[in-house]
Amino acid sequence: MTDAMHKQTLPQGLLTPRWTLSELLPGGKGPELEDVIQEIDETASYIQSLRDTLVPGIACEDFVRLLNALERFATLSNRLGAYGQLWFSEDTQNREALSYMVRMDDMLASLQNRILFFNLWWRSLSNDEANRLIACSGSLQYYLKQQRNFKRHTLSEPEEKIINLKDVNGINAILTLYDMITNKYAFELEINGKKQQLTRDALMGYVRHHDAGLRKGAYQELLRVYGADEAVLSQIYTHRLRDFTNENLHLRQFQSPISVRNLANDVSDLAVEILLTVCEVEAHVFQRYFKLKGRMLNTPKLQRYDIYAPCYASSDNQDNKPHKTIAYHDAVAMVLDTFREFSPQLEVLVHRVFEQQHVDSEDRPNKRGGAFCYSALPTLLPWVLVNYNGQPRQVATIAHEMGHAVHALMAHEHSVLTYNATLPLAETASVFSEMLLTERLLATETDRNVKREILQNAIDDIYATVIRQAYFVIFEQKAHRLFSEGEIDLNALYMSTLSAQFGDAVDVSKDFRFEWMAIPHIYHTPFYCYAYCFGELLSLALYQRYKEEGEKFKPLFLKILSYGGSKSPDHILNEVGIDISDPALWRSGFRVIETMIHQLEVL
């Protein structure tokens, strides 16, 4: 870290360890809350009152009036929903927060059903009539076009209502059982000679521990607990496969199971197929890394238990513990300096998020684990949660989440319905910002061992976001295909995907055959996970382009961010000369990863 960073004095407001949520509900959870609830109920009733105006030839002014009401509904819904999510994240044992969140979820779902008719009507229109109304819809044109993408897969209103009723007591109820079963799991791990009861988040924190025994114990306990319910969890997934196939392939006539997710993400089947194929072909890049990691850990072959093992050991660090921690003050200063060096405009936005106390950085009991950025409304600054513990990788985490924040703030002029980036582009600014910060850490650090830690942590995180997520989707694709052909052994299928992913670089023990059951996305949102590797590889490719083009690249990057979710991924990226159907794009992301692995090999 440079002397300038050490000397920099930051206003105390920037370093407040907890956020404030007062902007979401300025009057708190009393009369103000009831006023907002009454307003959203009245807004839903107003939208319902306009149903009779939805006739062929509806006047543009009447259509715009309805769109304005839908925006108002979304604004109020986001305000109420965000408050519950953020309040609960502060303390997951807070019963009042949990009660509020459950109440809001139930109420908002009921309100959404009351205005469901608009989307069904909109999708039923002829193309000529829809195009006429799109032309007078201003900034909501892409939102409306995206809804129209589902026209040929939308059923009649009575059929859609039947499906909604079926889902409540059908697949949704079954998935709720999955959550109820798995959320009750208690995990036991022996730590310092004493057995402790842990939540899953707490347990998984030990898979990155410097003690190999704790890493192995944490994984074995996770897989033991999930494996004990193998019969019921496998049956739940079988119902998910059956329901997904019956509704989306047989009734809605999608070409393939993954086409459902692709259409929601507004990317072509071809682009996603190319992305996943490149990930399979380039799996050797991470296999090379895991062989290197095995050598760093002085083991003949890396065990799957040690996939995230820190490699801190050196002649002066036989305990294999981190060489260095970074004070939160210095971490914030470094993040601000990194953004300012790339773009003073972005640094100003990050400064505002800290200054207005929208960051919860304190690592405390019962707080939600991990990190996230929550963008509730275009008129409000996003909220950022991290659990800062002083490790260098945590500085990169702050930069990552602030990347999400500036992405939302750059798009703040768009509607509440279009300002958040679509899922495939949602990681663009975050990964790019993390790469900028990682490069800064490497450039300013003089200790070779600390540099090794920084690089290794960065590559570990990239693995978890790229290849790991890609192979989850490959597993899902095979499961859906084989299910339609008859009975399948899901555990054996998952083990075969692990074998393809790791090759001869990692020894995968048989207990990992249960790992797929511990991935909620596979149950709740089929094929969701490819968006992670899409976003990561795209951002790495953009970062490489920045390294090649320098200042000339910056306006293009800021332009991508300013779109938010107001245009399709294809439209946004084509404007800056990027084709997501070109395998070279995805391969260029892997070349950045190879460069990082080479740097680690040299160190």
Side-chain angles (χ1 to χ4, degrees):
M1 190 175 305
T2 64
D3 290 339
M5 290 179 198
H6 279 299
K7 295 175 182 177
Q8 185 174 0
T9 301
L10 299 175
Q12 190 58 39
L14 266 66
L15 305 176
T16 304
R18 301 188 69 155
W19 59 30
T20 174
L21 304 179
S22 59
E23 291 172 73
L24 282 168
L25 287 175
K29 299 175 288 296
E32 166 73 13
L33 171 61
E34 299 309 317
D35 288 346
V36 177
I37 291 174
Q38 180 179 345
E39 185 177 358
I40 193 172
D41 182 77
E42 291 173 350
T43 302
S45 296
Y46 176 68
I47 293 171
Q48 288 178 289
S49 74
L50 298 177
R51 182 168 187 168
D52 289 342
T53 68
L54 300 180
V55 295
I58 179 177
C60 272
E61 54 267 30
D62 291 335
F63 184 66
V64 170
R65 187 180 303 117
L66 180 54
L67 292 180
N68 290 339
L70 290 170
E71 286 185 292
R72 183 60 185 159
F73 180 91
T75 296
L76 296 168
S77 176
N78 287 8
R79 187 181 292 274
L80 292 170
Y83 193 92
Q85 293 290 334
L86 296 173
W87 186 19
F88 181 70
S89 296
E90 293 177 354
D91 181 358
T92 59
Q93 302 304 305
N94 185 332
R95 292 183 177 273
E96 187 182 0
L98 177 60
S99 176
Y100 171 91
M101 188 169 64
V102 171
R103 178 192 175 194
M104 289 303 110
D105 287 348
D106 288 345
M107 183 192 73
L108 294 175
S110 176
L111 289 168
Q112 286 286 355
N113 280 337
R114 285 168 55 184
I115 63 173
L116 172 66
F117 67 87
F118 172 77
N119 280 344
L120 299 179
W121 169 80
W122 176 244
R123 295 174 188 177
S124 72
L125 289 179
S126 68
N127 289 336
D128 288 344
E129 178 71 354
N131 289 336
R132 179 181 70 85
L133 295 173
I134 287 172
C136 59
S137 63
S139 62
L140 292 181
Q141 291 191 9
Y142 175 63
Y143 169 77
L144 293 171
K145 289 178 181 177
Q146 194 174 27
Q147 292 293 321
R148 294 279 295 176
N149 287 343
F150 290 87
K151 175 179 171 61
R152 63 185 295 264
H153 305 292
T154 300
L155 308 176
S156 68
E157 184 171 353
E159 289 172 313
E160 292 290 353
K161 286 184 175 179
I162 289 172
I163 288 176
N164 282 343
L165 290 173
K166 178 268 299 180
D167 286 347
V168 170
N169 294 304
I171 191 59
N172 290 352
I174 291 173
L175 295 177
T176 298
L177 289 176
Y178 171 83
D179 290 340
M180 292 176 67
I181 292 168
T182 57
N183 288 342
K184 285 182 65 177
Y185 286 159
F187 302 93
E188 190 174 84
L189 186 66
E190 185 172 317
I191 305 169
N192 296 326
K194 182 179 180 182
K195 290 187 176 180
Q196 296 189 21
Q197 294 284 326
L198 301 172
T199 64
R200 175 173 171 170
D201 275 351
L203 178 76
M204 297 320 296
Y206 286 97
V207 305
R208 295 177 182 265
H209 200 274
H210 62 83
D211 186 315
L214 284 175
R215 293 195 300 269
K216 182 175 181 178
Y219 270 123
Q220 287 181 327
E221 177 67 358
L222 174 80
L223 300 169
R224 180 192 68 80
V225 171
Y226 274 86
D229 278 335
E230 174 192 3
V232 66
L233 297 183
S234 294
Q235 188 63 33
I236 288 173
Y237 188 60
T238 299
H239 283 295
R240 159 50 91 192
L241 292 172
R242 181 176 293 114
D243 181 83
F244 202 84
T245 297
N246 287 338
E247 178 178 333
N248 292 300
L249 271 62
H250 298 162
L251 293 178
R252 300 192 185 277
Q253 298 293 301
F254 279 94
Q255 183 177 351
S256 69
I258 199 172
S259 297
V260 183
R261 186 65 46 217
N262 296 342
L263 193 61
N265 290 337
D266 204 6
V267 293
S268 71
D269 288 355
L270 176 63
V272 175
E273 181 183 347
I274 290 171
L275 165 66
L276 294 174
T277 298
V278 170
C279 286
E280 288 184 282
V281 171
E282 298 284 354
H284 68 89
V285 172
F286 284 101
Q287 291 169 12
R288 168 187 169 189
Y289 169 63
F290 292 133
K291 289 178 180 178
L292 169 64
K293 196 166 196 176
R295 295 195 297 272
M296 293 170 71
L297 291 170
N298 296 315
T299 181
K301 190 174 185 180
L302 192 68
Q303 302 294 304
R304 176 58 185 83
Y305 303 120
D306 300 321
I307 207 78
Y308 299 116
C311 303
Y312 301 138
S314 64
S315 58
D316 61 342
N317 188 20
Q318 294 301 316
D319 291 333
N320 196 27
K321 294 182 179 179
H323 286 83
K324 180 177 184 177
T325 58
I326 298 174
Y328 183 62
H329 175 282
D330 293 328
V332 173
M334 183 175 287
V335 169
L336 289 169
D337 285 345
T338 300
F339 276 99
R340 181 170 58 252
E341 185 176 297
F342 180 78
S343 167
Q345 179 184 2
L346 298 187
E347 189 267 345
V348 169
L349 297 178
V350 174
H351 195 282
R352 287 176 56 203
V353 177
F354 281 112
E355 187 176 40
Q356 296 191 28
Q357 297 179 26
H358 277 231
V359 180
D360 192 316
S361 62
E362 188 178 35
D363 186 9
R364 60 180 182 272
N366 300 329
K367 179 181 171 182
R368 173 176 163 170
F372 66 77
C373 174
Y374 197 121
S375 302
L377 294 169
T379 55
L380 297 177
L381 295 172
W383 279 265
V384 170
L385 178 144
V386 294
N387 286 273
Y388 191 75
N389 58 18
Q391 294 185 23
R393 69 186 303 266
Q394 286 286 320
V395 189
T397 298
I398 296 174
H400 181 103
E401 301 307 333
M402 285 300 169
H404 282 301
V406 299
H407 199 163
L409 290 170
M410 286 292 290
H412 77 281
E413 293 183 358
H414 296 299
S415 164
V416 62
L417 299 173
T418 61
Y419 90 107
N420 271 321
T422 54
L423 193 58
L425 298 186
E427 297 296 326
T428 306
S430 56
V431 173
F432 191 91
S433 302
E434 186 175 352
M435 286 298 296
L436 290 173
L437 192 283
T438 298
E439 183 179 74
R440 188 180 191 88
L441 285 168
L442 292 171
T444 57
E445 184 55 63
T446 57
D447 188 321
R448 287 172 59 87
N449 290 317
V450 176
K451 284 188 173 186
R452 286 199 323 169
E453 294 168 23
I454 293 167
L455 268 172
Q456 181 235 313
N457 286 328
I459 300 169
D460 281 350
D461 290 342
I462 292 172
Y463 157 73
T465 311
V466 177
I467 289 294
R468 178 169 162 81
Q469 303 299 327
Y471 273 91
F472 284 152
V473 177
I474 292 166
F475 163 75
E476 290 181 275
Q477 286 182 298
K478 291 180 178 179
H480 279 262
R481 185 182 70 250
L482 293 174
F483 170 77
S484 65
E485 299 172 1
E487 293 295 321
I488 55 172
D489 184 338
L490 291 164
N491 294 337
L493 177 63
Y494 186 71
M495 285 297 285
S496 72
T497 62
L498 290 180
S499 177
Q501 178 186 162
F502 293 118
D504 63 353
V506 178
D507 184 15
V508 183
S509 56
K510 287 185 64 176
D511 49 356
F512 276 92
R513 67 189 184 278
F514 301 131
E515 184 183 29
W516 65 271
M517 293 185 290
I519 312 301
H521 279 325
I522 290 177
Y523 287 82
H524 284 281
T525 319
F527 310 108
Y528 180 99
C529 294
Y530 79 72
Y532 291 122
C533 54
F534 186 114
E536 183 87 18
L537 289 173
L538 171 63
S539 300
L540 292 175
L542 289 171
Y543 181 76
Q544 181 59 35
R545 187 166 165 183
Y546 165 56
K547 298 299 291 181
E548 294 168 356
E549 298 180 5
E551 291 294 321
K552 185 175 71 171
F553 171 82
K554 292 180 180 180
L556 299 178
F557 186 72
L558 297 180
K559 185 176 183 180
I560 291 173
L561 303 190
S562 68
Y563 271 112
S566 64
K567 296 290 183 182
S568 70
D570 254 344
H571 179 101
I572 295 171
L573 296 174
N574 282 342
E575 282 210 357
V576 295
I578 294 174
D579 178 5
I580 60 175
S581 296
D582 183 356
L585 168 68
W586 309 115
R587 287 197 294 264
S588 67
F590 278 98
R591 301 294 77 79
V592 176
I593 300 167
E594 277 189 322
T595 299
M596 297 174 71
I597 295 171
H598 177 69
Q599 288 178 281
L600 186 59
E601 288 171 333
V602 171
L603 286 172

